[in-house]
Amino acid sequence: MVHYGHSNQLRQAKAMGDYLIVGVHTDSEIAKHKGPPVFTQAERYKMVRAIKWVDEVVEGAPYVTTLETLDKYNCDFCVHGDDITLTVDGKDTYEEVKKSGRYRECKRTQGVSTTDLVGRMLLMTKAHHSNIDSSDYQQHTDNFGKGHSPWTGVSQFLQTSQKIIQFASGQEPQPGDTIIYVAGAFDLFHIGHVDFLEAVHKLAEKPYIIVGLHFDQEVNRYKGKNYPIMNVHERTLSVLACRYVSEVVIGAPFAVTKDLIDHFKEPRRIGILRTVDSGNSLTTDAIVQRIIKNRLLFEARNQKKEAKEIAVIQAMKRKEEEKTKERPQAVLQKGPKTSTIN
């Protein structure tokens, strides 16, 4: 998937240099090393291009990053999160560039991962909010929430004001800007949302797009089941990371009122509503159906991924213990006692 955790890593990476090139793997590479992808490669290429810190996308990037790849695209160094990424046979995909000193690390966003989101989508097929003692719920919780590995497992995202500031553009509408307001859930921010916002962006020469996000309770009211899958804080970062968005209203009302329009100094006239066709039929529900359809594959993916990570952690611990044993021990030796007669 492409989610706000990736966006946050790309934001940090861009701050380390001047020009950010992002390599995106093919479906076959991901299936080989990690398991079935949730978004198709075409969807991921476009999703990454829509992230505002990205300058260029390399389609079909190799899964193992080599010096040859960095040199091919004139990159000084590469950046990855402080979690580990492994090949199908358990090897570090960044081993070569790490040894050469052309590797940098950024902080992983705690509380979100593709594994986590897939787990949420599988869990939502059960009444897990009320029937938490059921064996089905417990089985899926065990599959996705153990968290033996620090990089895998369901955890809770904690929003901070600093994170919102880091994602926000901080730009006010300028004279001549056309202020456009759109609203919705924007749950599991996906290519359908991107295509819609891009279409809205093309409506004006100088658009200033404000996205209203409905609170979780409101989304649950009109979507039902256990939606939204992402809470309003997560949806805020997802939308703010999009290059077509200028501002976000957190907890926007379901109905667009006169007061809301006046707040953004929009023209007070009737007939300002437009319907925009994104040209894309993908929905959040359709993504959930992809997960449900391949439930066993995704469960196996998550368990296999965590097993590999635990093996690496144990190997790292053993290596550290061996280094500790090999360190020379300083021994204080006492010399023979002597006495002096004056």
Side-chain angles (χ1 to χ4, degrees):
M1 292 186 69
V2 181
H3 52 69
Y4 66 91
H6 297 128
S7 298
N8 192 35
Q9 289 189 2
L10 297 177
R11 177 191 65 79
Q12 294 175 75
K14 180 60 180 287
M16 297 179 188
D18 305 299
Y19 191 84
L20 179 60
I21 302 173
V22 182
V24 183
H25 310 311
T26 61
D27 291 345
S28 59
E29 278 283 86
I30 293 175
K32 175 183 175 183
H33 295 283
K34 298 183 74 172
V38 180
F39 293 167
T40 67
Q41 61 194 47
E43 290 170 344
R44 285 180 281 111
Y45 295 153
K46 191 162 188 178
M47 286 286 293
V48 174
R49 284 193 176 94
I51 296 172
K52 61 186 178 184
W53 298 287
V54 176
D55 295 303
E56 184 181 337
V57 168
V58 172
E59 299 183 1
Y63 196 75
V64 176
T65 303
T66 62
L67 294 174
E68 181 183 357
T69 300
L70 296 190
D71 292 339
K72 181 178 179 181
Y73 298 103
N74 298 315
C75 295
D76 295 294
F77 57 88
C78 67
V79 181
H80 192 263
D82 56 5
D83 54 335
I84 194 166
T85 176
L86 306 169
T87 62
V88 67
D89 51 0
K91 294 181 180 178
D92 185 351
T93 58
Y94 290 92
E95 185 176 0
E96 182 178 319
V97 291
K98 284 179 178 177
K99 288 179 178 178
S100 69
R102 293 173 68 181
Y103 175 83
R104 304 286 186 277
E105 214 162 67
C106 60
K107 290 290 183 184
R108 181 183 176 276
T109 307
Q110 294 297 322
V112 67
S113 66
T114 300
T115 306
D116 177 21
L117 294 174
V118 167
R120 294 188 204 180
M121 284 183 269
L122 286 179
L123 291 172
M124 74 167 290
T125 64
K126 305 294 179 184
H128 57 280
H129 286 307
S130 56
N131 301 328
I132 59 174
D133 293 326
S134 73
S135 58
D136 284 338
Y137 173 75
Q138 192 59 50
Q139 175 191 340
H140 290 304
T141 303
D142 288 345
N143 287 341
F144 292 94
K146 287 180 178 178
H148 295 310
S149 163
W151 307 306
T152 297
V154 179
S155 55
Q156 185 178 9
F157 170 73
L158 299 175
Q159 179 69 287
T160 64
S161 57
Q162 181 62 28
K163 190 60 65 190
I164 293 178
I165 291 169
Q166 289 171 343
F167 271 58
S169 67
Q171 296 177 349
E172 296 286 334
Q174 300 300 309
D177 285 356
T178 301
I179 302 174
I180 305 171
Y181 178 77
V182 299
F186 290 89
D187 193 15
L188 278 182
F189 196 74
H190 54 71
I191 193 66
H193 298 132
V194 170
D195 283 341
F196 168 69
L197 291 170
E198 184 180 19
V200 171
H201 195 266
K202 291 177 180 177
L203 291 177
E205 186 176 339
K206 293 178 63 182
Y208 186 94
I209 299 176
I210 301 166
V211 176
L213 290 178
H214 301 146
F215 274 136
D216 298 341
Q217 297 91 328
E218 188 68 27
V219 176
N220 184 255
R221 182 187 65 78
Y222 64 77
K223 291 211 65 170
K225 299 181 183 177
N226 289 317
Y227 289 108
I229 293 164
M230 284 183 167
N231 64 45
V232 70
H233 304 303
E234 296 174 306
R235 292 184 282 120
T236 297
L237 295 188
S238 300
V239 173
L240 280 174
C242 181
R243 64 173 69 252
Y244 305 118
V245 176
S246 302
E247 181 64 285
V248 167
V249 178
I250 303 171
F254 184 72
V256 180
T257 62
K258 177 179 175 296
D259 289 340
L260 179 66
I261 293 174
D262 289 347
H263 179 76
F264 294 111
K265 301 180 176 63
E266 279 281 3
R268 299 183 192 177
R269 65 176 186 272
I270 298 173
I272 60 173
L273 173 65
R274 295 194 197 179
T275 302
V276 177
D277 184 0
S278 70
N280 192 312
S281 60
L282 186 65
T283 63
T284 301
D285 220 12
I287 294 170
V288 172
Q289 292 307 313
R290 291 182 187 182
I291 301 296
I292 295 171
K293 183 179 177 181
N294 295 291
R295 170 180 291 173
L296 295 179
L297 289 174
F298 281 114
E299 286 183 348
R301 169 204 180 275
N302 286 4
Q303 290 172 340
K304 186 178 179 181
K305 179 174 181 287
E306 185 171 37
K308 283 198 297 182
E309 290 170 354
I310 291 171
V312 170
I313 292 168
Q314 290 172 343
M316 289 167 64
K317 284 182 179 178
R318 285 194 298 270
K319 196 171 182 180
E320 189 59 36
E321 287 170 359
E322 288 171 3
K323 282 183 180 178
T324 303
K325 290 178 182 178
E326 291 172 1
R327 287 173 190 157
Q329 300 295 316
V331 179
L332 177 63
Q333 294 183 342
K334 294 183 178 180
K337 290 184 178 180
T338 59
S339 59
T340 303
I341 301 174
N342 294 324

